[in-house]
Amino acid sequence: MGNRVVLIRHSHTPNDDRVVNYITKTGFIADIRKPFAGDAIPEITEDIAATVIYGGPYPAFDTKIYPFLKDEYRWLDAALETGLPTLGLCQGAQMIAHHYGKWVGPLDPEYYEFGYYELTSTGVDPNFILDSLCVSQYHFHTFDLPDEAIHLARSEAYENQAFQIGHNTYGFQFHPEVTIEGFRRWQENSDENFGKTGAQDKITQDNLMQVHDAKQARWFHNFLETFLGQPN
């Protein structure tokens, strides 16, 4: 196992999320790539320990409109083929589902999860979420589960919130990587989404953030410990 983690990002927001923080503190190297901005994606080599595909504004199926997604799918295909530990967050989870030939798109009628929402375990893996977990969300697309997937968690509005394929591929519709500072940036740049069906108002978000952010952080830290292991 190597010590480089390839992070596929879809925005120019600061690199202060919980994945980067964990990688930096534990001795891994964060190899940040932004294909939407022209960055090349590397070949898989022995020094690469894992990859994380982040969320973003690009529909997972729009490869003609956003051709850089084709490069990301080639990377995803190689990662899955070689057994590289892979985590998809929001858009990243949708991309994994789309790669397996599954539908991705909005609910009908559209329903937004923008704020902090409760996840519950499906019971398939009771260790994934020991009880319920309130997590940060920002999406209105969802996906059908790949045939190979183990369904791990759901929310009230979105059945497919987390899945696992094999030993080391995960898709999370939610955003455990987002810190309070990161969520504040979403609030500052999301005026048009307040008031959408399902979206929480800012006061509700702020209250839930203070109650649940620390637990979410602990849960994700424990997940990353298992997912990434130790660098060489």
Side-chain angles (χ1 to χ4, degrees):
M1 182 177 179
N3 64 350
R4 185 158 60 110
V5 182
V6 177
L7 307 180
I8 306 296
R9 299 188 64 109
H10 298 111
S11 73
H12 289 304
T13 53
N15 301 318
D16 59 0
D17 62 89
R18 292 190 174 112
V19 175
V20 174
N21 292 342
Y22 181 87
I23 288 171
T24 302
K25 291 178 180 178
T26 53
F28 287 97
I29 297 170
D31 184 351
I32 298 171
R33 304 291 176 122
K34 299 178 180 180
F36 76 93
D39 288 353
I41 302 177
E43 299 296 321
I44 292 180
T45 51
E46 291 185 357
D47 65 323
I48 297 177
T51 186
V52 179
I53 302 174
Y54 281 72
Y58 305 104
F61 48 81
D62 271 348
T63 55
K64 291 184 179 179
I65 297 176
Y66 306 107
F68 67 85
L69 289 176
K70 296 178 182 179
D71 294 330
E72 295 191 20
Y73 278 115
R74 282 192 286 270
W75 168 254
L76 179 58
D77 183 66
L80 297 174
E81 181 68 23
T82 59
L84 185 71
T86 299
L87 171 61
L89 299 169
C90 197
Q91 180 187 321
Q94 296 163 14
M95 290 178 66
I96 294 173
H98 183 68
H99 174 78
Y100 279 94
K102 295 303 179 179
W103 171 84
V104 176
L107 295 180
D108 185 16
E110 289 184 356
Y111 187 94
Y112 283 67
E113 283 187 323
F114 177 35
Y116 289 78
Y117 299 80
E118 184 180 23
L119 297 189
T120 56
S121 172
T122 62
V124 176
D125 181 359
N127 292 319
F128 182 71
I129 297 176
L130 297 178
D131 194 0
S132 63
L133 181 70
C134 193
V135 296
S136 50
Q137 304 257 22
Y138 190 12
H139 70 102
F140 69 100
H141 278 198
T142 184
F143 51 84
D144 288 340
L145 284 177
D147 296 339
E148 299 85 347
I150 299 171
H151 186 200
L152 297 173
R154 58 171 61 95
S155 67
E156 182 177 357
Y158 282 85
E159 176 66 13
N160 298 327
Q161 285 282 356
F163 64 84
Q164 178 180 352
I165 298 174
H167 294 294
N168 55 15
T169 296
Y170 292 87
F172 296 166
Q173 180 58 70
F174 55 104
H175 284 279
E177 83 284 4
V178 173
T179 62
I180 288 178
E181 292 76 15
F183 200 91
R184 294 289 190 211
R185 289 194 292 267
W186 283 354
Q187 291 176 319
E188 292 168 1
N189 294 287
S190 302
D191 286 345
E192 72 279 5
N193 289 322
F194 286 112
K196 295 281 183 69
T197 301
Q200 297 166 351
D201 60 63
K202 186 176 183 300
I203 292 175
T204 299
Q205 291 175 353
D206 289 345
N207 289 339
L208 291 172
M209 176 193 300
Q210 296 304 320
V211 173
H212 296 289
D213 181 74
K215 183 177 179 180
Q216 176 179 225
R218 289 193 299 271
W219 178 88
F220 193 47
H221 183 277
N222 291 336
F223 170 81
L224 290 174
E225 280 188 333
T226 301
F227 174 70
L228 289 174
Q230 297 297 320
N232 287 341

